[in-house]
Amino acid sequence: MATKGDLTKARLAESMLELIQTNGYSGTGLSAVIAHASAPKGSVYFHFPDGKEGLGLAAVELAARRFETLIAEAALEAGTPAGSIRAAIAALSAIVGDSGFQLGCPVSVVTLEMGAESERLREACATAFESWISPTAAFLESNGLAAGEARELATVVVATIEGAVIVSRALRSTQPLANAADVLAELVDQRCGTAGAAR
């Protein structure tokens, strides 16, 4: 059973995540997070003694878990590597489009803004990306690719999706994500098909 304090801490992390997505990390102040979360003024430093950086870490970790869940659900529902990629990108495309192109990937935002300034935030972002690359690589490996090739392709998949989200937001169009889905699905089909034929 979550305590009142646990719920407040979770609300603060959720608010930080949402505000990073819309305003960026640098544009998100603690007072805005407190107001957005409807939290007591002293709650930030009580739950996050290191202030904004600690809240940023919590937001990145929350985003990592959510996208990791999205990947797992896409793999489970679609069954095939190409189908899973299409399902994951479709889910992301809906998030980006339905938000009026205000929401994107908070991990990429924090990486770009703070990667050179905060080693803790850079490491958290690296861990987040790894949490998406590793299960994707494992899924590809289970579909016939050698470990090294699966890791390489999984990295390309995640990097391409991240870039497509950014371009979609800039162009205010989900077409870049749709294009990424088509190209990645074809690439994955080709690689996994070749691996299957070689077995």
Side-chain angles (χ1 to χ4, degrees):
M1 182 83 176
T3 66
K4 185 177 179 181
D6 291 335
L7 294 174
T8 299
K9 185 175 183 178
R11 278 205 322 276
L12 288 166
E14 177 70 42
S15 290
M16 183 68 172
L17 175 59
E18 291 184 23
L19 291 173
I20 286 174
Q21 288 179 294
T22 54
N23 303 328
Y25 181 86
S26 298
T28 299
L30 291 181
S31 58
V33 176
I34 291 167
H36 189 276
S38 300
K41 285 189 176 180
S43 59
V44 169
Y45 286 103
F46 178 78
H47 293 292
F48 301 96
D50 43 359
K52 185 176 177 179
E53 186 178 53
L55 258 175
L57 291 169
V60 168
E61 289 165 3
L62 180 57
R65 289 195 301 273
R66 287 187 175 169
F67 191 50
E68 189 175 1
T69 299
L70 186 152
I71 292 171
E73 289 176 350
L76 188 63
E77 290 173 14
T80 66
S84 297
I85 286 169
R86 287 189 181 280
I89 293 178
L92 284 172
S93 184
I95 291 168
V96 173
D98 291 350
S99 72
F101 302 94
Q102 296 301 305
L103 299 182
C105 176
V107 178
S108 62
V109 171
V110 175
T111 300
L112 292 170
E113 288 189 28
M114 300 303 297
E117 295 184 35
S118 168
E119 184 62 14
R120 290 180 70 203
L121 286 171
R122 185 203 63 75
E123 287 180 355
C125 291
T127 298
F129 287 127
E130 181 59 36
S131 75
W132 306 338
I133 292 169
S134 290
T136 303
F139 186 53
L140 291 170
E141 192 174 349
S142 73
N143 280 271
L145 294 188
E149 185 180 7
R151 169 78 188 188
E152 177 186 78
L153 186 54
T155 303
V156 169
V157 167
V158 171
T160 301
I161 293 172
E162 284 292 310
V165 168
I166 293 170
V167 177
S168 287
R169 290 184 70 190
L171 298 181
R172 299 186 68 77
S173 167
T174 57
Q175 192 59 48
L177 279 160
N179 293 344
D182 289 340
V183 172
L184 289 174
E186 183 179 353
L187 176 60
V188 167
D189 262 347
Q190 181 185 39
R191 291 285 190 94
C192 289
T194 301
R199 286 202 299 269

